[in-house]
Amino acid sequence: MVEIRGTTILAVKDDRGVAIGGDGQVTLGQAISIKHKAKKVRRLYKNKIIAGFAGATADAFTLFEKFEAKLEEYSGNLLRASVELAKEWRTDKYLRRLEAMLLVANSENILLISGTGDVIEPDDNVIAIGSGGPYAMAAAKALCKHTKLSAKEIVQDSLNIAASMCVYTNSEIVVEYLEK
């Protein structure tokens, strides 16, 4: 899997719902603070799907548009839309050059979608992308195991922990949550 630098996106699922959060930092080359409050997580398809991106912004917006079209085409079926996007992303001459990754979720599932054709559902209900992803994911796994915090609280706290450790992650955090 390609490591995308310059952001942190984290998804956590518990028995009450799913949360995806991301930091707001935009990185351009050596400059890590071009923008502080970018919104990299948003709601899609009638507010029933949450998606977050890591990677090149224009590429991610292209993928959001394509993913939204797939959600419409498949009546909001997250898995089918994700698989179809991954297939198109991998085989299309233009799309396969896009440098981004997506985390997508409905109230029941979390999926990672990449340009190499991956559609991955995490075994332990925690997954992260971006350069700060390993920090956020480690914090989230510890909080899941040792606290009773909600998925939304775990995402918020884990992203703050990542921001304290990773220069590519800031504490301008946006968290979206879907209840079951």
Side-chain angles (χ1 to χ4, degrees), residues 91-105:
T91 59
D92 183 272
K93 186 183 278 190
Y94 167 73
L95 290 179
R96 72 173 162 234
R97 292 191 177 132
L98 298 182
E99 295 183 15
M101 295 178 84
L102 297 178
L103 281 184
V104 299

Side-chain angles (χ1 to χ4, degrees), residues 25-28 30-36 167:
Q25 185 164 284
V26 174
T27 302
L28 183 61
Q30 299 296 330
I32 61 168
S33 57
I34 298 297
K35 184 171 177 67
H36 299 285
V167 298

Side-chain angles (χ1 to χ4, degrees), residues 43-125:
R43 289 176 176 267
L44 305 173
Y45 191 75
K46 304 174 186 175
N47 289 322
K48 295 179 181 179
I49 306 289
I50 307 170
F53 74 87
T57 307
D59 292 355
F61 286 144
T62 299
L63 291 169
F64 274 158
E65 288 175 17
K66 291 281 187 187
F67 185 58
E68 280 187 295
K70 296 293 183 193
L71 286 168
E72 289 295 330
E73 183 179 350
Y74 297 106
S75 303
N77 183 321
L78 180 71
L79 185 55
R80 180 81 190 271
S82 298
V83 169
E84 294 301 323
L85 175 64
K87 285 184 347 189
E88 183 178 348
W89 189 356
R90 184 171 184 194
T91 59
D92 183 272
K93 186 183 278 190
Y94 167 73
L95 290 179
R96 72 173 162 234
R97 292 191 177 132
L98 298 182
E99 295 183 15
M101 295 178 84
L102 297 178
L103 281 184
V104 299
N106 60 17
S107 61
E108 303 283 327
N109 303 292
I110 302 168
L111 300 170
L112 178 146
I113 310 170
S114 78
T116 57
D118 295 316
V119 178
I120 299 169
E121 184 171 22
D123 289 333
D124 57 3
N125 299 321

